[in-house]
C-alpha cells in the first residue's frame, strides 16, 4: 500500500513528478485557503502533508492525523505550522529555503522603485489621458543614490536585498536581535536608529512571537515623514490599523506591501483606498523557476520523511535527536 499524502492545493503535475507511483495523493481544490473537506475527511489515514502557507497545521489538525510522519511546507516561512506541536509528536517539518531568495529580493527592489517613482500612478495617468505634456514637476519621486535603506532581518533575503541596494548607491543599515558578520556592506544599528535614519525600511524577518506587531504606532511615528515602508515578509509584522493611520495622516510617505494582515486583504479594505499604498498579492516567490523548484523541494522533503530519512530542509531537526 502506498502512503496516503494530502496536498492542500493543486500543483502542476511536472512540478510534483517525483511523487508519481510513490504515494496515494489526494489533492484539495484550488483558489481557497485552508484544508478542504475532502482533505479533512482523509486526515485519519494521511501519512504525509504537503501544504501551502495558506493551510494551517495546528494541534487540532494534528489530533485528527495520528498516522502523520511528515509535514512539508511549500514555503520558507513556517508560521502557518505549529512546529512545536509537530516536534512533540516527532513529526519533521520541511520548508524551502534559499531557492526563493533572489525572486523575493528582486520583488523588494521592484516595489521600492515602484513606490519611490510613482510607477502605478504615472502609468495610470498616462493611460487615462493625463499625460498632456512633459511636466517638469509631475510625478516627482525619491532619489536612491545616497539614501538609506534600513533592513529589518538580515537573513538570506535581507542580504540579497542589501547586495542589490548597493548597486543603486543606497547606504544599507540593518537591525535584528544580534549583529552578524556580512559581506554586503550592511551596518548594524539599533531598531530606533534604523527607524530614524532610513528613507526606506524593508522587512525581511520571520513572523514569530517577537516580530508580530513589531511595526506599530510607535515605530511608524519614529520613521521619517518621507520614509517608505516595504513588507515582503509576513503581514502581521505590521499592525494594519496603525499603518492605515500612518499613511493617511502622513507619519510616513508611502508603503508597498506584498503581504498583509489579514491575507488576502478584502477588496473593500481601507488600505486599497490610499494612493500612497501599493499592494501586491503575496508574489515574492512568483517566478516560474522559483515556484517549480519550491514544489520540487517540498516533494523531496516529503519523500525523505516517508522513507524515514532526515529531510533535506528540516526546521525541527530536534526530532532526530534521541
Ligand atoms: C513565502 O512567503 C514563503 O515563505 O515561502
Amino acid at each position: 500500500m502506498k502512503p496516503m499524502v494530502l496536498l492542500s492545493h493543486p500543483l502542476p503535475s511536472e512540478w510534483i513528478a517525483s511523487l508519481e507511483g510513490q504515494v496515494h495523493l489526494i489533492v484539495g481544490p484550488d483558489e481557497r485557503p485552508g484544508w478542504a473537506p475532502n482533505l479533512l475527511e482523509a486526515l485519519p489515514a494521511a501519512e504525509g502533508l504537503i501544504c501551502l502557507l495558506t493551510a494551517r497545521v495546528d494541534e487540532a489538525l494534528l489530533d485528527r492525523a495520528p498516522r502523520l510522519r511528515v509535514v512539508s511546507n511549500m514555503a520558507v516561512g513556517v508560521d502557518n505550522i505549529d512546529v512545536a506541536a509537530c516536534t512533540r509528536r516527532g513529526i519533521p517539518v520541511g520548508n524551502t529555503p534559499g531557492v526563493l531568495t533572489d525572486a523575493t529580493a528582486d520583488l523588494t527592489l521592484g516595489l521600492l522603485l515602484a513606490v519611490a517613482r510613482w510607477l502605478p500612478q504615472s502609468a495610470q495617468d498616462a493611460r487615462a489621458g493625463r499625460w498632456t505634456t512633459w511636466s517638469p514637476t509631475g510625478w516627482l519621486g525619491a532619489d536612491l543614490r545616497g539614501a538609506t535603506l534600513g533592513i529589518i532581518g538580515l537573513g538570506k533575503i535581507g542580504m540579497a536585498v542589501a547586495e542589490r541596494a548597493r548597486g543603486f548607491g543606497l547606504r544599507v543599515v540593518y537591525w535584528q536581535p544580534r549583529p552578524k558578520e556580512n559581506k554586503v556592506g550592511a551596518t548594524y544599528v539599533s531598531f530606533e536608529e534604523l527607524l530614524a535614519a532610513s528613507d526606506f525600511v524593508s522587512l525581511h524577518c520571520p513572523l514569530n512571537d517577537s516580530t508580530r506587531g513589531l511595526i506599530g504606532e510607535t515605530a511608524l511615528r519614529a520613521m521619517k515623514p518621507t520614509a517608505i515602508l516595504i513588507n515582503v515578509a509576513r503581514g502581521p509584522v505590521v499592525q494594519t490599523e496603525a499603518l492605515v493611520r500612518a499613511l493617511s495622516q502622513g507619519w510616513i510617505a508611502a508603503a508597498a506591501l506584498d503581504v498583509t494582515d489579514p491575507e488576502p486583504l478584502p477588496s473593500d479594505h481601507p488600505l486599497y483606498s490610499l494612493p500612497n499604498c501599493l499592494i501586491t498579492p503575496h508574489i515574492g516567490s512568483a517566478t516560474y523557476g522559483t515556484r517549480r523548484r519550491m514544489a520540487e523541494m517540498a516533494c523531496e522533503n516529503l519523500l525523505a520523511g516517508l522513507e524515514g530519512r532526515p529531510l533535506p530542509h528540516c526546521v525541527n531537526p530536534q526530532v532526530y535527536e534521541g
Side-chain angles (χ1 to χ4, degrees):
M1 275 268 280
K2 292 181 187 132
M4 182 187 285
V5 170
L6 312 186
L7 169 58
S8 71
H9 297 83
L11 292 171
S13 53
E14 330 71 270
W15 296 7
I16 54 169
S18 64
L19 300 185
E20 217 178 296
Q22 305 296 312
V23 302
H24 170 49
L25 193 64
I26 303 188
V27 185
D30 210 353
E31 299 295 336
R32 52 166 280 171
W35 298 95
N38 66 320
L39 301 178
L40 293 176
E41 250 167 53
L43 273 175
E47 293 183 56
L49 302 180
I50 301 186
C51 45
L52 306 191
L53 51 82
T54 50
R56 295 202 67 75
V57 177
D58 54 17
E59 199 94 57
L61 186 118
L62 294 170
D63 280 343
R64 297 171 68 176
R67 294 171 56 105
L68 205 57
R69 290 190 284 130
V70 56
V71 173
S72 179
N73 214 30
M74 187 181 143
V76 64
V78 288
D79 46 283
N80 56 314
I81 298 174
D82 187 338
V83 177
C86 291
T87 307
R88 282 196 295 278
R89 291 160 199 250
I91 300 172
V93 177
N95 71 338
T96 62
V99 63
L100 46 73
T101 300
D102 284 328
T104 309
D106 290 347
L107 184 80
T108 305
L109 269 296
L111 290 174
L112 188 156
L113 286 166
V115 173
R117 299 298 301 273
W118 297 104
L119 298 191
Q121 294 85 347
S122 59
Q124 185 55 36
D125 285 344
R127 189 182 290 264
R130 290 188 285 270
W131 182 13
T132 51
T133 181
W134 182 85
S135 167
T137 54
W139 304 291
L140 298 182
D143 286 307
L144 268 59
R145 184 164 297 282
T148 298
L149 168 67
I151 293 181
I152 295 188
L154 197 71
K156 288 189 176 70
I157 297 172
M159 278 202 279
V161 169
E163 204 179 13
R164 285 157 175 72
R166 287 179 68 195
F168 285 96
L170 284 155
R171 181 176 90 90
V172 182
V173 298
Y174 77 101
W175 175 81
Q176 60 186 15
R178 273 180 298 280
K180 85 169 182 207
E181 264 190 42
N182 69 84
K183 295 196 171 77
V184 291
T187 306
Y188 189 69
V189 292
S190 70
F191 183 56
E192 291 71 22
E193 278 174 289
L194 183 144
L195 296 174
S198 298
D199 300 291
F200 305 97
V201 173
S202 197
L203 307 179
H204 301 285
C205 50
L207 175 63
N208 54 37
D209 289 347
S210 46
T211 60
R212 186 177 296 275
L214 183 68
I215 306 296
E217 173 160 354
T218 310
L220 289 160
R221 285 193 187 274
M223 287 167 65
K224 294 183 181 182
T226 50
I228 292 172
L229 175 71
I230 300 141
N231 189 5
V232 299
R234 283 294 184 266
V237 176
V238 177
Q239 296 179 29
T240 304
E241 289 310 308
L243 181 62
V244 171
R245 283 185 287 130
L247 292 171
S248 44
Q249 295 172 21
W251 310 348
I252 65 171
L257 311 172
D258 186 47
V259 290
T260 58
D261 181 23
E263 195 170 299
L265 198 66
S267 58
D268 60 352
H269 196 278
L271 276 177
Y272 286 119
S273 64
L274 297 169
N276 52 351
C277 188
L278 173 62
I279 298 162
T280 51
H282 204 146
I283 57 169
S285 63
T287 69
Y288 288 109
T290 299
R291 285 282 167 83
R292 180 180 180 135
R293 190 65 197 119
M294 287 167 73
E296 289 169 350
M297 285 170 81
C299 292
E300 287 160 19
N301 281 331
L302 178 99
L303 290 173
L306 292 177
E307 288 162 16
R309 291 183 284 114
L311 311 196
H313 301 284
C314 187
V315 298
N316 57 346
Q318 315 88 286
V319 292
Y320 300 116
E321 287 159 16

